[in-house]
Amino acid sequence: MASSSPDDVDRMVAARMERQSVFERDPAPAIHFVLEEAPLRREIGGTVVWNRQLERLLKLGRLWNVTLQVMPTKSDAHPGLDGRIELLKFADGTAVGRGDGTFNGRPVSDPRQFRILELQFSAIRAQVLTPRESLAFLEQLLGEK
């Protein structure tokens, strides 16, 4: 793995921090995340870093405009196994989406193509833990250490 220069690391951290501002916007956007269970169990960076990541997810998952759900590892195959699916709907009625495994990963705004991504996301949501169960799952992971 190639190492990054200190300037590259600074730019990546600044970009990540800027992305976090989405949670503080007014009006706040409705945000829905589905996370796979397996990476949530992987203690990358050590226990302290892992605990902080889980605590951050819990904090975000408790925000009124955020829905966070966990896909259990024991779930059946689902469209998200091909990678991320991202859907953005705007106040003016327009929408854009992309899926790593759909339409060659390119962004789509055509309503029919967008609907395919919505259906894939719906299929995923049919298998996930409820928001309450998902937060309880994260709390359980934190309690295991």
Side-chain angles (χ1 to χ4, degrees), residues 35-103:
L35 305 170
E36 288 281 348
E37 174 184 347
L40 294 172
R41 292 186 175 278
R42 195 169 295 122
E43 293 186 36
I44 302 217
T47 302
V48 172
V49 170
W50 180 73
N51 281 337
R52 285 186 186 150
Q53 290 172 341
L54 293 177
E55 288 166 355
R56 176 72 173 153
L57 288 173
L58 275 167
K59 180 179 178 185
L60 294 175
R62 290 181 178 129
L63 294 174
W64 69 270
N65 62 312
V66 175
T67 303
L68 186 146
Q69 292 181 274
V70 174
M71 174 67 75
T73 302
K74 66 179 188 256
S75 294
D76 293 334
H78 58 81
L81 293 175
D82 289 335
R84 287 183 299 188
I85 296 174
E86 300 166 325
L87 304 171
L88 302 171
K89 294 181 182 181
F90 303 100
D92 66 1
T94 61
V96 66
R98 66 170 295 284
D100 288 343
T102 309
F103 307 116

Side-chain angles (χ1 to χ4, degrees), residues 40-41 50-51 54 136-145:
L40 294 172
R41 292 186 175 278
W50 180 73
N51 281 337
L54 293 177
F137 171 79
L138 292 173
E139 289 169 347
Q140 176 191 345
L141 281 179
L142 273 168
E144 289 178 0
K145 292 296 167 186

